[in-house]
Amino acid sequence: MMEKILVSSCLLGTPVRYDGSGQKLVHPQITTWQSQGVIIPLCPEVAGGLSTPRAPAEIIHDKVVTNAGEDVTVAFKLGAQKALQLCLHHNIRFALLKESSPSCGRNSIYDGSHRGIKVTGMGVTAALLANNDIKVFSEQQMPALIKALAQC
Ligand code: SF4
């Protein structure tokens, strides 16, 4: 059976980002996976109950806070739990998540100052999935994801 892959909804072009946009990843492998029906899309922030558009949020000191100072940690953690439940339900072992998001960031996030500064780190959902043995890749790591899937 083919591996299913959890994919950030915005990478499929769905307009779920904080500013109401999508960020479609144009890659032939995405088209192939879609035709094979192996993509399971999710936006953790929407799943956590946040609206679109919404205030941009960043992680600081284990909390997620908007640029207006609102603590949205609970919604981010709920979205992460829903992502994990979805993975467990579908036996998903691989995720393709949007880099630098406070939910989906795989290798980098913003530093919490809301000044556009990136630092090494993981978003809330990416970290929870990785801690539960799901292999998480960003859209900048497509070759590595394709290679890992080929070795299954
Ligand atoms: S939470 Fe993830 S899927 Fe949702 S808009 Fe942000 S990066 Fe995309």
Side-chain angles (χ1 to χ4, degrees):
M1 200 172 81
M2 294 194 65
E3 295 277 351
K4 291 200 167 118
I5 309 156
L6 184 80
V7 179
S8 294
S9 296
C10 60
L11 290 178
L12 302 170
T14 309
V16 287
R17 296 184 75 224
Y18 72 94
D19 60 0
S21 70
Q23 195 147 11
K24 189 175 171 68
L25 173 61
V26 179
H27 192 291
Q29 190 64 51
I30 295 288
T31 309
T32 302
W33 286 335
Q34 283 175 318
S35 66
Q36 291 170 335
V38 297
I39 288 181
I40 306 291
L42 182 78
C43 172
E45 291 172 24
V46 171
L50 296 171
S51 57
T52 307
R54 54 189 170 276
E58 298 187 4
I59 297 173
I60 183 154
H61 303 317
D62 292 332
K63 290 195 176 302
V64 190
V65 181
T66 71
N67 61 348
E70 183 186 0
D71 185 339
V72 286
T73 310
V74 170
F76 273 67
K77 286 191 171 173
L78 178 60
Q81 284 295 339
K82 290 201 171 178
L84 178 59
Q85 292 305 320
L86 194 62
C87 289
L88 295 174
H89 179 74
H90 289 283
N91 257 332
I92 292 172
R93 300 191 300 151
F94 295 88
L96 173 64
L97 302 184
K98 174 77 186 71
E99 192 60 278
S100 304
S101 150
S103 290
C104 295
R106 169 62 183 85
N107 302 296
S108 68
I109 53 174
Y110 288 92
D111 73 347
S113 68
H114 292 278
R115 289 183 297 163
I117 301 168
K118 286 185 189 177
V119 291
T120 300
M122 296 182 93
V124 178
T125 293
L128 183 66
L129 298 187
N131 285 338
N132 283 274
D133 297 327
I134 294 163
K135 295 183 176 58
V136 180
F137 297 81
S138 83
E139 77 279 14
Q140 297 163 3
Q141 297 175 296
M142 280 295 280
L145 173 55
I146 292 166
K147 189 175 172 188
L149 285 164
Q151 290 168 348
C152 289

